[in-house]
Coordinates of all heavy atoms in Angstrom, one line a residue:
E1 N 72.0 -105.2 46.0 CA 73.2 -104.4 46.3 C 72.9 -102.9 46.2 O 72.3 -102.4 45.3 CB 74.3 -104.7 45.3 CG 75.6 -104.0 45.6 CD 76.8 -104.3 44.7 OE1 76.6 -105.2 43.8 OE2 77.8 -103.7 44.9
M2 N 73.4 -102.1 47.2 CA 73.4 -100.7 47.1 C 74.7 -100.3 46.5 O 75.7 -100.0 47.2 CB 73.2 -100.1 48.6 CG 71.9 -100.5 49.2 SD 71.7 -99.9 50.9 CE 72.8 -101.0 51.8
E3 N 74.7 -100.2 45.2 CA 75.9 -100.0 44.4 C 76.6 -98.7 44.8 O 75.9 -97.6 44.9 CB 75.6 -100.1 42.9 CG 75.4 -101.5 42.4 CD 75.3 -101.6 40.9 OE1 75.3 -100.5 40.3 OE2 75.3 -102.7 40.4
A4 N 77.9 -98.7 44.8 CA 78.8 -97.5 44.9 C 78.7 -96.8 46.2 O 79.2 -95.7 46.3 CB 78.5 -96.6 43.7
L5 N 78.0 -97.3 47.2 CA 77.9 -96.7 48.5 C 79.2 -96.8 49.2 O 79.7 -97.9 49.5 CB 76.8 -97.3 49.3 CG 76.6 -96.7 50.8 CD1 76.3 -95.2 50.7 CD2 75.6 -97.5 51.5
I6 N 79.9 -95.7 49.6 CA 81.2 -95.7 50.3 C 80.8 -95.5 51.8 O 80.6 -94.4 52.2 CB 82.1 -94.6 49.8 CG1 82.4 -94.8 48.3 CG2 83.4 -94.6 50.6 CD1 83.1 -93.6 47.7
A7 N 80.8 -96.6 52.5 CA 80.3 -96.5 53.9 C 80.8 -97.7 54.7 O 81.3 -98.7 54.2 CB 78.8 -96.5 53.9
S8 N 80.6 -97.6 56.0 CA 80.9 -98.7 56.9 C 80.0 -98.5 58.1 O 79.3 -97.5 58.3 CB 82.4 -98.7 57.4 OG 82.6 -97.5 58.2
D9 N 79.9 -99.6 59.0 CA 79.2 -99.5 60.2 C 77.7 -99.2 60.0 O 77.1 -98.3 60.6 CB 79.8 -98.5 61.2 CG 81.2 -98.8 61.6 OD1 82.1 -98.7 60.8 OD2 81.4 -99.2 62.8
L10 N 77.1 -99.9 59.1 CA 75.7 -99.7 58.8 C 74.8 -100.1 59.9 O 75.0 -101.1 60.6 CB 75.3 -100.4 57.5 CG 75.6 -99.8 56.1 CD1 77.1 -99.6 56.0 CD2 75.1 -100.7 55.0
A11 N 73.8 -99.2 60.2 CA 72.8 -99.5 61.3 C 71.5 -98.9 61.0 O 71.5 -97.7 60.5 CB 73.4 -99.1 62.6
F12 N 70.4 -99.5 61.3 CA 69.1 -98.9 61.1 C 68.7 -98.1 62.4 O 69.0 -98.5 63.5 CB 68.0 -100.0 61.0 CG 67.9 -100.6 59.6 CD1 68.4 -101.8 59.3 CD2 67.3 -99.9 58.6 CE1 68.3 -102.4 58.0 CE2 67.2 -100.4 57.3 CZ 67.7 -101.6 57.0
G13 N 68.1 -96.9 62.1 CA 67.6 -96.1 63.2 C 66.1 -96.4 63.3 O 65.4 -96.9 62.4
P14 N 65.5 -96.0 64.5 CA 64.1 -96.3 64.7 C 63.2 -95.4 63.7 O 62.0 -95.7 63.6 CB 63.8 -95.9 66.1 CG 65.0 -95.0 66.4 CD 66.1 -95.4 65.6
D15 N 63.8 -94.4 63.1 CA 63.1 -93.6 62.1 C 63.0 -94.2 60.7 O 62.5 -93.6 59.8 CB 63.7 -92.2 62.0 CG 65.2 -92.3 61.7 OD1 65.7 -93.4 61.4 OD2 65.9 -91.2 61.8
G16 N 63.5 -95.4 60.6 CA 63.5 -96.1 59.3 C 64.7 -95.7 58.4 O 64.8 -96.3 57.3
Y17 N 65.5 -94.8 58.8 CA 66.7 -94.4 58.0 C 67.8 -95.4 58.3 O 67.9 -96.1 59.3 CB 67.2 -93.0 58.4 CG 66.4 -91.9 57.8 CD1 65.1 -91.6 58.3 CD2 66.9 -91.2 56.8 CE1 64.4 -90.5 57.7 CE2 66.2 -90.1 56.2 CZ 64.9 -89.8 56.7 OH 64.2 -88.8 56.1
L18 N 68.7 -95.5 57.3 CA 69.9 -96.3 57.4 C 71.1 -95.3 57.8 O 71.4 -94.4 57.0 CB 70.2 -97.0 56.1 CG 71.5 -97.9 56.1 CD1 71.3 -99.1 57.1 CD2 71.8 -98.4 54.7
Y19 N 71.7 -95.6 58.9 CA 72.8 -94.7 59.4 C 74.1 -95.4 59.1 O 74.2 -96.7 59.1 CB 72.7 -94.5 60.9 CG 71.5 -93.6 61.3 CD1 70.2 -94.0 61.2 CD2 71.8 -92.3 61.8 CE1 69.2 -93.1 61.6 CE2 70.8 -91.4 62.2 CZ 69.5 -91.8 62.0 OH 68.4 -91.0 62.4
F20 N 75.2 -94.7 58.9 CA 76.4 -95.3 58.5 C 77.6 -94.2 58.7 O 77.3 -93.0 58.8 CB 76.4 -95.8 57.1 CG 76.0 -94.8 56.0 CD1 77.0 -94.0 55.4 CD2 74.7 -94.7 55.7 CE1 76.6 -93.1 54.4 CE2 74.3 -93.8 54.7 CZ 75.3 -93.0 54.1
L21 N 78.8 -94.7 58.7 CA 80.0 -93.9 58.7 C 80.5 -93.7 57.3 O 80.5 -94.7 56.5 CB 81.1 -94.5 59.6 CG 80.9 -94.5 61.1 CD1 82.1 -95.1 61.8 CD2 80.6 -93.1 61.6
S22 N 81.0 -92.6 56.9 CA 81.7 -92.3 55.7 C 82.6 -91.1 55.8 O 82.3 -90.2 56.5 CB 80.7 -92.1 54.5 OG 81.4 -91.8 53.3
D23 N 83.8 -91.2 55.2 CA 84.7 -90.1 55.2 C 84.6 -89.2 54.0 O 85.5 -88.4 53.7 CB 86.2 -90.5 55.4 CG 86.6 -91.4 54.3 OD1 85.9 -91.7 53.3 OD2 87.8 -91.9 54.4
A24 N 83.5 -89.3 53.3 CA 83.3 -88.4 52.1 C 83.0 -87.0 52.6 O 82.4 -86.8 53.7 CB 82.1 -88.9 51.3
A25 N 83.3 -86.0 51.8 CA 83.0 -84.6 52.2 C 81.6 -84.3 51.7 O 81.2 -84.7 50.7 CB 84.0 -83.7 51.5
P26 N 80.9 -83.5 52.5 CA 79.5 -83.2 52.2 C 79.4 -82.2 51.0 O 78.4 -82.0 50.5 CB 78.9 -82.6 53.5 CG 80.1 -82.2 54.3 CD 81.2 -83.1 53.9
E27 N 80.5 -81.5 50.8 CA 80.5 -80.5 49.7 C 81.9 -80.5 49.0 O 82.9 -81.0 49.6 CB 80.2 -79.1 50.2 CG 81.2 -78.4 51.1 CD 81.2 -78.9 52.5 OE1 80.1 -79.2 53.0 OE2 82.2 -79.1 53.1
E28 N 81.9 -80.0 47.8 CA 83.1 -80.0 47.0 C 84.2 -79.2 47.8 O 84.0 -78.1 48.3 CB 82.9 -79.3 45.7 CG 84.1 -79.3 44.7 CD 84.2 -80.7 44.1 OE1 83.2 -81.4 43.9 OE2 85.4 -81.1 43.9
G29 N 85.4 -79.9 47.9 CA 86.5 -79.3 48.6 C 86.5 -79.4 50.1 O 87.3 -78.8 50.8
G30 N 85.4 -80.0 50.7 CA 85.3 -80.1 52.1 C 86.3 -81.1 52.7 O 87.0 -81.8 52.1
L31 N 86.4 -81.0 54.1 CA 87.3 -81.8 54.8 C 86.8 -83.3 54.8 O 85.6 -83.6 55.1 CB 87.3 -81.4 56.3 CG 88.3 -82.1 57.2 CD1 89.8 -81.9 56.7 CD2 88.1 -81.6 58.6
E32 N 87.7 -84.2 54.4 CA 87.4 -85.6 54.4 C 87.7 -86.3 55.7 O 88.8 -86.7 55.9 CB 88.1 -86.3 53.2 CG 87.6 -85.8 51.8 CD 88.2 -86.6 50.7 OE1 89.0 -87.5 50.9 OE2 87.9 -86.2 49.5
V33 N 86.8 -86.3 56.6 CA 86.9 -87.0 57.9 C 85.7 -87.9 58.0 O 84.6 -87.7 57.4 CB 87.0 -86.1 59.1 CG1 88.3 -85.2 59.0 CG2 85.8 -85.2 59.1
S34 N 85.8 -88.9 58.9 CA 84.7 -89.8 59.1 C 83.5 -89.1 59.8 O 83.7 -88.6 60.9 CB 85.2 -91.0 59.9 OG 84.1 -91.9 60.1
R35 N 82.4 -89.1 59.2 CA 81.1 -88.6 59.8 C 80.0 -89.6 59.8 O 80.1 -90.6 59.2 CB 80.6 -87.4 58.9 CG 81.6 -86.2 58.8 CD 81.0 -85.2 57.8 NE 81.8 -84.0 57.8 CZ 82.9 -83.8 57.0 NH1 83.3 -84.8 56.1 NH2 83.6 -82.7 57.0
V36 N 79.0 -89.3 60.6 CA 77.8 -90.2 60.6 C 76.8 -89.6 59.6 O 76.6 -88.4 59.6 CB 77.1 -90.2 62.0 CG1 75.9 -91.1 62.0 CG2 78.1 -90.7 63.1
W37 N 76.3 -90.4 58.8 CA 75.3 -90.1 57.8 C 74.1 -90.9 57.9 O 74.1 -91.9 58.6 CB 75.8 -90.3 56.3 CG 77.1 -89.5 56.0 CD1 78.4 -89.7 56.4 CD2 77.2 -88.4 55.1 NE1 79.2 -88.8 55.8 CE2 78.5 -88.0 55.0 CE3 76.2 -87.8 54.3 CZ2 79.0 -87.0 54.2 CZ3 76.7 -86.7 53.5 CH2 78.0 -86.3 53.4
R38 N 73.0 -90.5 57.2 CA 71.8 -91.3 57.2 C 71.1 -91.2 55.8 O 71.3 -90.1 55.1 CB 70.8 -91.0 58.3 CG 70.1 -89.7 58.1 CD 68.9 -89.6 59.1 NE 68.1 -88.4 58.8 CZ 66.9 -88.1 59.2 NH1 66.4 -89.0 60.1 NH2 66.3 -87.0 58.9
M39 N 70.4 -92.2 55.4 CA 69.6 -92.0 54.2 C 68.4 -93.0 54.4 O 68.4 -94.0 55.0 CB 70.3 -92.3 52.9 CG 70.9 -93.7 52.8 SD 71.9 -93.8 51.3 CE 72.4 -95.5 51.3
K40 N 67.3 -92.6 53.8 CA 66.0 -93.3 53.9 C 66.1 -94.6 53.1 O 66.7 -94.6 52.0 CB 64.9 -92.5 53.4 CG 63.5 -93.0 53.6 CD 63.1 -93.0 55.1 CE 61.7 -93.5 55.3 NZ 61.3 -93.5 56.7
V41 N 65.6 -95.7 53.6 CA 65.5 -97.0 52.9 C 64.0 -97.4 53.0 O 63.5 -97.6 54.1 CB 66.4 -98.0 53.6 CG1 66.3 -99.3 52.8 CG2 67.8 -97.5 53.5
W42 N 63.4 -97.6 51.9 CA 62.0 -98.1 51.9 C 61.9 -99.6 51.7 O 62.8 -100.2 51.1 CB 61.2 -97.4 50.8 CG 60.9 -95.9 51.1 CD1 59.8 -95.5 51.7 CD2 61.6 -94.8 50.8 NE1 59.8 -94.1 51.9 CE2 60.9 -93.7 51.2 CE3 62.9 -94.6 50.1 CZ2 61.4 -92.4 51.1 CZ3 63.3 -93.3 50.0 CH2 62.6 -92.2 50.4
P43 N 60.8 -100.2 52.1 CA 60.7 -101.7 52.0 C 60.8 -102.1 50.5 O 61.2 -103.3 50.3 CB 59.3 -101.9 52.6 CG 59.1 -100.8 53.5 CD 59.7 -99.6 52.9
D44 N 60.4 -101.3 49.6 CA 60.4 -101.7 48.2 C 61.8 -101.5 47.5 O 62.0 -101.8 46.4 CB 59.4 -101.0 47.3 CG 59.6 -99.4 47.3 OD1 60.7 -99.0 47.9 OD2 58.8 -98.7 46.7
G45 N 62.8 -101.1 48.4 CA 64.2 -101.0 47.9 C 64.6 -99.6 47.5 O 65.8 -99.4 47.2
R46 N 63.7 -98.7 47.4 CA 64.1 -97.3 47.1 C 64.9 -96.7 48.3 O 64.7 -97.0 49.4 CB 62.9 -96.4 46.9 CG 62.1 -96.8 45.6 CD 60.9 -95.9 45.4 NE 59.9 -96.1 46.5 CZ 59.5 -95.1 47.3 NH1 60.0 -93.9 47.2 NH2 58.6 -95.4 48.2
I47 N 65.9 -95.9 47.8 CA 66.8 -95.3 48.8 C 67.0 -93.9 48.6 O 67.0 -93.4 47.4 CB 68.2 -96.0 48.7 CG1 68.1 -97.5 49.1 CG2 69.3 -95.3 49.6 CD1 69.4 -98.3 49.0
G48 N 67.0 -93.1 49.6 CA 67.0 -91.6 49.5 C 68.3 -91.0 49.4 O 69.3 -91.6 49.2

């Protein structure tokens, strides 16, 4: 389990990153709208 990840529409990119939608703000006080995000996922389970 990738605990506490607030996301939807998960998809792998060819770059090995995991792409997803989230309405979290990228900075404190930022606008909360749905954006596309990505984070690295390694075969051993580490996540960036």
Side-chain angles (χ1 to χ4, degrees):
E1 183 179 357
M2 297 179 285
E3 286 189 349
L5 177 63
I6 302 172
S8 65
D9 298 71
L10 278 61
F12 279 103
D15 53 8
Y17 282 74
L18 183 65
Y19 289 71
F20 54 89
L21 291 180
S22 177
D23 60 2
E27 67 281 325
E28 187 74 33
L31 183 64
E32 294 186 1
V33 295
S34 180
R35 299 175 174 87
V36 181
W37 299 73
R38 73 169 188 165
M39 61 185 184
K40 188 70 174 177
V41 180
W42 284 273
D44 62 3
R46 291 178 296 122
I47 294 177

